[in-house]
Amino acid sequence: MGATRIDGNACGAAVEAALAERIAALASPPHLAVVIVGNDPASHVYVGAKERACARLGIRSTRIDIAEDADYSEVVSTVKKLNADTDVNGILVQSPLPKGMDEVAITDLIDPSKDVDGFHAQNLGRLVQGDASGLLPCTPAGVMRMLEWANVDLSGKRAVVIGRSRIVGMPQSLLLAQKGADATVTIAHSRTSDMAALCREADVIIAAVGRSNMVMPDWVKPGATVIDVGVNRVDDDSEKGYHLTGDVHPDVGEVAGALSPVPGGVGPMTIAMLMSNTVRATEMQQ
Ligand code: NAP
């Protein structure tokens, strides 16, 4: 691979090292509550990784398991209880919720000052108003931190974000375009025409779609920075029965100037930024 590898593990470790000092300065360690509803195997893997990160940093974590077939009202009452608990600084309800449960309504039920996922309408709304000082969505905030860490200058550069979801693509586009970052952003999605030509114009491409190896080498301008957010499970003959791929074809590494890998790129950054939000929420509350 000719491109510089933007290593999310190394960048995440630097974020965590800086957090350790802030945690030591707190009156009491932060406390994160993670609510997981149902048996989705990937969700359990993600929650396990979040719990391990808390343990590494001395952040207290409490996991609340709710059965797949539980009533929606049980999730609502759990969030309300955690909102009222002054010993809890951060609340995260792991996505996805079982079919029929309204994820956006649950998110908006979380006390915005404890909303460590950064998805509450009040926190996303602040971002739209140009204020990025609050609790920001972890994955796009992690991408911004990686770009900064890799010394990627965004000012006046053309960025294409592929994907416009509430949790990744849309807040990512806002963060890239905010004052101080100053990229010129195009938001692409499933109805975008001639994606390849659009991407070839870009200095920075952020792929957040969920389609294995979608971004091909001939979509990428030589020297461009490419951040791969996608995580796709591809079945194979291995013992596990699958492997993970990103949205970016590995051969893009021969054309791009810098590329974040999957795994080992945005994933660890998302967790590091969750830890960062938990510490920030605690600082604000204390
Ligand atoms: P999502 O809610 O499914 O959104 C996917 C977006 O991609 C949508 O905006 C969709 O467009 C767009 N899209 C779908 N097919 C497309 C196509 N053929 N061409 C262009 N755009 C297309 O997914 P998400 O939650 O944003 O997640 C995106 C990916 O990031 C997934 O692989 C997910 O697993 C991964 N992810 C990784 C992390 C991490 O920590 N590494 C965190 C979050 C998500 P429409 O709006 O038109 O439907």
Side-chain angles (χ1 to χ4, degrees):
M1 174 165 111
T4 303
R5 180 187 162 96
I6 306 183
D7 183 343
N9 283 313
C11 183
V15 170
E16 287 191 11
L19 287 177
E21 287 175 30
R22 285 165 57 191
I23 293 168
L26 288 166
S28 57
H31 184 188
L32 173 66
V34 180
V35 180
I36 179 161
V37 189
N39 312 315
D40 178 53
S43 293
H44 280 264
V45 170
Y46 292 141
V47 167
K50 290 166 187 177
E51 287 176 316
R52 284 195 298 280
C54 286
R56 269 198 307 275
L57 285 168
I59 293 175
R60 289 177 294 154
S61 69
T62 300
R63 169 187 175 143
I64 295 125
D65 276 281
I66 297 180
E68 177 93 28
D69 59 356
D71 202 72
Y72 180 65
S73 63
E74 192 178 333
V75 185
V76 169
S77 64
T78 301
V79 170
K80 285 184 175 169
K81 217 183 289 169
L82 293 169
N83 281 343
D85 186 346
T86 52
D87 185 47
V88 169
N89 305 109
I91 304 168
L92 179 154
V93 179
Q94 182 63 42
S95 172
L97 288 176
K99 273 204 178 73
M101 292 198 186
D102 185 341
E103 240 173 76
V104 176
I106 289 292
T107 300
D108 282 344
L109 204 65
I110 296 173
D111 177 341
S113 71
K114 296 186 179 185
D115 167 39
V116 288
D117 255 342
F119 299 152
H120 190 285
Q122 191 169 307
N123 287 319
L124 283 178
R126 283 219 184 90
L127 185 56
V128 177
Q129 289 174 328
D131 176 1
S133 66
L135 297 171
L136 298 174
C138 301
T139 300
V143 169
M144 296 306 288
R145 189 64 75 89
M146 280 174 104
L147 291 169
E148 193 188 341
W149 188 74
N151 289 319
V152 176
D153 179 19
L154 293 169
S155 181
K157 299 287 163 46
R158 288 189 196 185
V160 170
V161 178
I162 316 177
R164 56 177 166 185
S165 73
R166 182 178 60 96
I167 64 168
V168 190
M170 195 56 80
Q172 186 70 73
S173 305
L174 291 167
L175 284 169
L176 287 162
Q178 72 179 328
K179 275 193 190 300
D182 298 321
T184 304
V185 181
T186 303
I187 307 171
H189 45 76
S190 65
R191 310 299 292 268
T192 297
S193 57
D194 207 352
M195 185 78 79
L198 190 72
C199 287
R200 271 195 294 271
E201 297 282 303
D203 303 298
V204 178
I205 299 171
I206 316 279
V209 180
R211 282 176 65 119
S212 180
N213 296 341
M214 175 178 145
V215 177
M216 297 300 289
D218 64 348
W219 291 27
V220 177
K221 183 163 84 172
T225 298
V226 182
I227 303 290
D228 192 352
V229 181
V231 180
N232 307 291
R233 219 172 122 141
V234 177
D235 293 340
D236 63 18
D237 296 330
S238 71
E239 208 178 302
K240 253 199 317 193
Y242 68 90
H243 63 280
L244 297 181
T245 67
D247 289 347
V248 177
H249 194 284
D251 290 351
V252 166
E254 302 305 325
V255 185
L259 172 64
S260 70
V262 174
V266 175
M269 285 309 295
T270 298
I271 292 183
M273 299 318 286
L274 173 68
M275 298 300 110
S276 176
N277 273 351
T278 304
V279 172
R280 182 151 171 67
T282 311
E283 287 170 341
M284 291 189 297
Q285 289 159 33
Q286 286 184 359

